[in-house]
Structure formats: structure tokens, C-alpha cells
Amino acid sequence: MAASGHPPNLALEKLIAESGASHKALAARVNQHCQAQGKAARYTHTSVANWISGMIPRWPTPKAIAAALSERLGRPVSVAEIGMPQPATTSPEIGLDFPRELPRAIDVAAAWWILGDQVNRRAFGRLAFAAAAFTTPSTRWLIQPADADAALQPPRSRGRRVGTADLAELRDAVEHARHIDSKYGGGSFGSCLVATCLRERAVPLLKGSYTDAVGRELFSATAQLGRLAGYAAWDVGDQAGAQRHYIQALRLARAAGDVPLGGYVLASMSLQAGLNDHVEDAIDMAQGAYERARDQATPRTLAFFKLVEARAHARAARRHGRACARRAAALALAHSETLLGQAHPDDGDPVWIDFFTHARLAADATEIHRDLQMPHMVMRFEEMATMPALTYTRSAGMRNAIVGSAHLQARRLDEGLEYGHRAVDILSRVASTRSLTYVNDLLHALTPWDAESSVRQFRRRVRQELRTPA
């Protein structure tokens, strides 16, 4: 991969010059060290030039580079000295910290985004969602949602100065990833590029030097990428990885001084908690996002936070059957509708909230009322949920499954199956594990009709086309 555009690794360039090693000779020795550590490697002089230009190779190559330079210089050379991250840990705890100090926060985020994909993913896959992991990050953000100006000057910066072109590239990556994720799901190739962008573009920029203004924009764009990475990980079932992306995104939103964005990340954390049935934590985070941002966020943004709260209350009503949760869901949804009605094109909405329209509110309201066992309200909001399926493919597929479940609540089997088949038609084109949970809810609701041949045929189709137990 070309390294063009990366802040150059001046520390590595200086050490190579001191060692007197040619790029070809150094590459050959690095290959030998990698092979001794069980990694096949075929690095060349071009690889060395790319490392100097700022590209960070995967572990254990940084360790091999340090070892090769140690031999040349006749003294120990650490991975940190060559300007590359040292994996202080590859344990499941990586990425959970929410440091108070900005330099440490940058190091923690960099370590997660560089090393996180190299941690044993099977170990992460065995980890369930842990609501406690969100406690410290959300508390610290609520207490202090923005860092002071002076904290935006990294004291250990390396490489060239970050400029507006770098920021434009990151913002373009965010927009591209947002639309790819909505259309193709978190397991799509486009969403996978978010992790690569964080590791190979955003992290080197974070390690560069920049003014306060540029730093804030850099942290904001990186936080948006981190939130997208979290959403994509959650969408494919990587609950633990998603939590770590969200935590680091929230920390960088604080570094950016972008309180509405921090609230958006916290609302995303609330959604994950709620759909994992940690409803009380979900309610707290959604309410916290709203209260902390209410004087700084636009009505559209605040309306989304209230919608997320309504979803959490409805989930609580579904789980515990409490009448107070039903009332709270209705109040939060009504508040969201009111705020969205106050939104105006001149409000200066952040681009990341542009998806939240009356049609999107209606789409989410179908799920809220399904959870509240109010199928007639599901049908009412379904008529208003006109988001284009070609753009919001995953959302359209899940909504069809939700409406199908609501028809079954009303004992309408034919209509339930009709919407179920529509959901399969759409979701067969989406790489999303999370969307399958909505199909599974529909399958569970079909249990009373298991003797019907049409139900057996539908279950067979789900097994074949969505590869989910039916």
C-alpha cells in the first residue's frame, strides 16, 4: 500500500541514517526477523521507503524493524524509538480506557485502532456485551464533555503539520462510509475500509502536529470514523469491538470540544445497550446525551436523542411489562416529534444527522410500537416511513420484519408472512448480523402457526437465503 499523504516518520528516518543501512539491506534483515517470529515477510526497499513516509506495518514487523536497527547501531532500540506503536497489551482490555489527559487518550485510541484487528478475534468473539464498560466513559463525558483549548496541543507530536487537505480526506471517508454502511451493512467491503482508514490515515495524523482549530476538526472527523467503526462492528455481531470503538470515539469527540457529536456517540452506545437488554443503562445514556447537549445541539439532533430514549423505554416495557415504561416511551417519542417539527434548514445541522427526517422517525416508531404491543400504531407509522430502500437498505429490511411481527401480534398471518418475505428479499443483499435478530423476532412470533405449510416454507426460505436458524 502506498504511503503517500502520511505524516513522515522522521524518527525512523533518522535512525536508519545513523545505522548506515541501505533500504534493501534493512528490508532483508527485517524479513529474517519476521520469519523467526513466525510471520512470512517479503519486504523490499520500497517497503522501507513507505515506513519512512509514515505507513505503519502490522505487528510484529515494528518489533523486527527495531531489532534490525539494534543490530546495526549496537544498542537496544525500542519500537517507540522508531516512531511506531508498542502493543502494551493484546488482552481483551485494550481499547476500554477513557483517559483524562489528551496525549494519553491519543495513545490509547491509536493502540486500539492499530492493534485491535491484530488481537485474537476469537477471544473477542467470546466476549458478550458488557454494560459496565460504558460506565466510566459516559460518566467522564457527562462531567466534562469538552477538553480545554490548551489540551489540543500534543506535546510529543511527530511528522509534518496536519492541514486542511488531510481533514477534507477524512471527512470524505466518513461520508462514503456512512452511505455504504446504510446500503450494504456493517459486513460490507466499504465498512471494512473504515478500520483501514483509522489505522493508516487517522492515527498517523493524530500523531502529527496541528493548531487548535485543525486539531479540533481532526478529532471530530476521527471520532465520526470511530463511531462508524463501532456501528459496523455491532452490525456484524462484534459486540466487544463495537464498545471499544464507541469509547474511543466518545473520547475524541470530547477532545474536539464537539458536544453534539459526543451526544451522538453516547446515543449510539445507548442503542447498543438497549438492544442487548441493558435498558436502564440505555435510558441513562440517552437522557444524558440530551441533557448535556440541549444548549448546544440543533433541534434535529436533540430530537434524535429523544427518539433513542423512546426506544430504550419501549424496550424496557417489552422486557418488564411496566406501565410507567410505556408512558415514558410515548412522552419521549412525542418530544422527539415536537423537536423535529422545530428543525429548520438554517439551523446549521451537522452533516452526520442529515438522515434523521420525519420518515426516519416513523421507521423507528414502528419498532417502538411493536415493542409496546400496539400493532395499530405500527401500521400508522409504517405509512409515513418512506425512506428509500435503495439508500437505506438495511433499515428497510428490518422495518419490514418489524411490521410483519406487528401483523402477527394482531393475528394476521397472511400479512405477517407477506412482510416477512419482503424483509428476506431486502436483507439477502445486506451483510448485517444485527438485522437477522429482527427476522428471528418474526420467526418467534410465527410459532403459533407452525403447522401451516406457508410458515414452514417461510422458515425454509430464511434458512436458505439468510443462513439463520429457523
Side-chain angles (χ1 to χ4, degrees):
M1 168 176 263
S4 176
H6 290 271
N9 189 335
L10 302 181
L12 178 61
E13 183 178 33
K14 179 180 178 181
L15 285 172
I16 293 174
E18 289 180 5
S19 73
S22 69
H23 289 187
K24 182 177 180 180
L26 179 61
R29 189 58 182 141
V30 168
N31 288 336
Q32 293 171 353
H33 278 287
C34 284
Q35 289 162 7
Q37 297 175 56
K39 176 186 177 181
R42 294 183 177 85
Y43 294 118
T44 67
H45 64 285
T46 302
S47 305
V48 177
N50 286 339
W51 301 334
I52 292 173
S53 296
M55 193 189 84
I56 301 173
R58 292 177 180 244
W59 195 260
T61 301
K63 183 178 179 181
I65 297 170
L69 288 172
S70 296
E71 294 171 346
R72 282 279 182 170
L73 293 169
R75 64 173 178 81
V77 174
S78 69
V79 172
E81 191 178 354
I82 66 171
M84 293 185 184
Q86 168 71 43
T89 179
T90 54
S91 77
E93 300 303 311
I94 187 173
L96 292 177
D97 289 345
F98 191 92
R100 290 186 174 88
E101 302 79 16
L102 180 56
R104 173 64 181 154
I106 291 174
D107 288 342
V108 168
W112 165 244
W113 285 325
I114 290 173
L115 300 170
D117 65 341
Q118 299 172 44
V119 176
N120 188 333
R121 282 305 184 188
R122 285 178 293 182
F124 271 92
R126 290 192 294 268
L127 296 176
F129 175 84
F134 282 159
T135 301
T136 296
S138 58
T139 300
R140 287 187 180 173
W141 182 83
L142 289 168
I143 292 171
Q144 184 183 349
D147 282 342
D149 290 350
L152 291 173
Q153 295 291 349
R156 295 177 290 105
S157 62
R158 296 184 295 265
R160 66 170 172 79
R161 200 165 184 79
V162 180
T164 56
D166 301 302
L167 299 176
E169 181 183 356
L170 284 185
R171 285 193 291 264
D172 287 347
V174 170
E175 286 307 292
H176 177 70
R178 278 204 309 139
H179 297 298
I180 291 293
D181 177 81
S182 293
K183 187 170 184 178
Y184 298 109
S188 67
F189 176 73
S191 292
C192 293
L193 291 178
V194 174
T196 302
C197 186
L198 281 166
R199 182 178 65 248
E200 299 188 3
R201 294 296 297 129
V203 168
L205 293 175
L206 291 174
K207 295 288 189 176
S209 60
Y210 30 83
T211 63
D212 286 352
V214 170
R216 287 191 183 277
E217 291 192 53
L218 172 61
F219 296 140
S220 179
T222 307
Q224 292 175 57
L225 277 171
R227 194 207 68 84
L228 282 167
Y231 199 78
W234 173 32
D235 199 39
V236 298
D238 181 7
Q239 300 278 358
Q243 288 193 269
R244 287 151 176 78
H245 287 304
Y246 282 149
I247 289 169
Q248 300 315 312
L250 185 65
R251 183 60 187 87
L252 288 183
R254 173 173 147 175
D258 193 335
V259 177
L261 176 58
Y264 185 42
V265 177
L266 195 61
S268 300
M269 294 159 64
S270 170
L271 284 172
Q272 187 187 14
L275 291 178
N276 278 281
D277 287 329
H278 291 271
V279 291
E280 298 302 326
D281 297 285
I283 292 167
D284 289 343
M285 286 187 284
Q287 291 178 339
Y290 175 84
E291 293 298 334
R292 209 64 176 88
R294 66 186 306 173
D295 295 329
Q296 300 185 47
T298 62
R300 187 182 307 277
T301 303
L302 293 173
F304 180 72
F305 298 164
K306 277 296 172 183
L307 178 73
V308 172
E309 181 188 341
R311 289 184 60 169
H313 284 303
R315 192 79 178 184
R318 174 183 178 180
R319 183 171 176 81
H320 303 297
R322 295 196 298 260
C324 60
R326 296 171 63 88
R327 290 194 296 271
L331 288 172
L333 180 59
H335 196 172
S336 178
E337 289 185 279
T338 299
L339 286 166
L340 190 57
Q342 296 171 357
H344 190 275
D346 295 334
D347 287 339
D349 285 320
V351 68
W352 42 258
I353 201 65
D354 63 4
F355 70 91
F356 191 52
T357 62
H358 288 282
R360 171 57 190 266
L361 183 146
D364 281 36
T366 62
E367 182 173 355
I368 290 169
H369 288 101
R370 180 208 62 180
D371 289 346
L372 296 176
Q373 296 283 318
M374 300 174 67
H376 64 290
M377 293 299 293
V378 173
M379 307 313 158
R380 173 187 165 190
F381 278 101
E382 161 65 5
E383 295 175 357
M384 296 182 284
T386 56
M387 298 175 72
L390 288 178
T391 302
Y392 300 100
T393 310
R394 177 182 52 209
S395 178
M398 293 190 298
R399 189 177 72 252
N400 275 279
I402 289 166
V403 176
S405 297
H407 276 294
L408 296 176
Q409 289 175 351
R411 311 299 294 176
R412 294 189 289 265
L413 175 61
D414 291 343
E415 290 86 346
L417 285 174
E418 178 184 351
Y419 275 92
H421 281 292
R422 291 182 190 175
V424 175
D425 290 341
I426 297 171
L427 294 177
S428 61
R429 308 193 302 268
V430 176
S432 168
T433 302
R434 181 169 59 92
S435 67
L436 300 183
T437 64
Y438 290 83
V439 177
N440 287 334
D441 285 339
L442 176 63
L443 292 171
H444 179 73
L446 281 168
T447 301
W449 293 276
D450 275 348
E452 299 287 338
S453 61
S454 57
V455 173
R456 293 197 300 270
Q457 290 171 2
F458 178 70
R459 290 185 182 277
R460 187 179 308 115
R461 186 186 179 202
V462 170
R463 283 195 301 269
Q464 293 172 345
E465 298 188 30
L466 300 185
R467 298 180 181 179
T468 184

